[in-house]
Amino acid sequence: MIEKKITTTFYQTDFSSLNSEEKDLVNRAKNSLEAAYAPYSGFLVGATVLLENGEIISGNNQENVAYPSGLCAERVAIFYAGAKFPNVKIKTIAITAVSKKFEIKDVISPCGACRQAIAEYEVKQENNIRILLHHPDDSILIVNSVSDLLPFMFKSKGLKNY
Ligand code: THU
């Protein structure tokens, strides 16, 4: 048996150190919190997607009384991007959150299902997606690819073109 390791690279920074394009994405994600529909969790999430053609799309979490029927902010945003601009690559996603119920200790990090959904687009477009994770205290964590958040991701090789 051989032991092997996968390393994850991430960057810790803060809002003031971002370039203006990335500051704009984080600000838009923050603004989109207003339209989050989270009456059950009180946890509002905003996600903003920058596409290669310069288009910017924001989404937020949309809950449902039948809990699993709701959808996370990240998937609302990337599915809308995929629906509106199916052949345009996603460059960056900025994500932020606020809670009405508790203090958020760490930056919000996409749930497993959202990581898998982002991974699908990364594989499809054959280009990495940069992910900015913003904390309400303005600290930021950055990964340059969803594979840094989801090692051993399930890929569609073999399922496509059946
Ligand atoms: N949520 C997101 O929108 N994104 C995540 O990455 C994690 C969780 C939402 C789902 C639900 O509306 C609320 O946060 C609490 O889980």
Side-chain angles (χ1 to χ4, degrees):
M1 186 165 51
I2 306 165
E3 180 182 309
K4 295 194 171 184
K5 289 188 178 159
I6 293 178
T7 50
T8 285
T9 305
F10 63 96
Y11 304 87
Q12 233 174 335
T13 184
D14 58 60
F15 182 79
S16 64
S17 308
L18 297 179
N19 64 31
S20 55
E21 183 179 74
E22 293 185 337
K23 276 185 182 151
D24 178 52
L25 295 181
V26 170
N27 281 331
R28 286 172 188 256
K30 282 160 79 175
N31 291 340
S32 79
L33 292 171
E34 268 174 43
Y37 177 62
Y40 306 104
S41 70
F43 190 68
L44 316 183
V45 186
T48 295
V49 173
L50 171 65
L51 302 180
E52 213 175 45
N53 65 357
E55 289 284 344
I56 296 175
I57 286 167
S58 290
N60 32 55
N61 52 331
Q62 298 295 319
E63 295 186 349
N64 190 283
V65 65
Y67 290 6
S69 301
L71 199 61
C72 294
E74 295 89 327
R75 275 176 288 164
V76 170
I78 60 169
F79 289 164
Y80 183 41
K84 201 157 183 227
F85 301 101
N87 299 314
V88 184
K89 294 181 182 182
I90 296 172
K91 272 176 73 179
T92 310
I93 305 176
I95 304 161
T96 191
V98 291
S99 174
K100 292 185 171 169
K101 294 190 178 167
F102 58 89
E103 188 195 340
I104 298 178
K105 295 243 162 72
D106 299 308
V107 287
I108 166 104
S109 185
C111 75
C114 287
R115 291 174 198 210
Q116 183 65 41
I118 296 167
E120 181 73 25
Y121 288 90
E122 230 186 55
V123 171
K124 176 187 168 212
Q125 67 184 33
E126 297 178 336
N127 272 115
N128 288 359
I129 297 175
R130 187 168 158 88
I131 306 175
L132 311 177
L133 306 174
H134 173 260
H135 186 275
D137 72 3
D138 274 347
S139 59
I140 307 254
L141 200 145
I142 300 175
V143 291
N144 280 326
S145 164
V146 71
S147 58
D148 285 315
L149 297 177
L150 191 64
F152 282 113
M153 67 180 66
F154 180 66
K155 292 191 180 172
S156 52
K157 245 195 243 165
L159 277 181
K160 259 197 300 197
N161 308 323
Y162 51 87

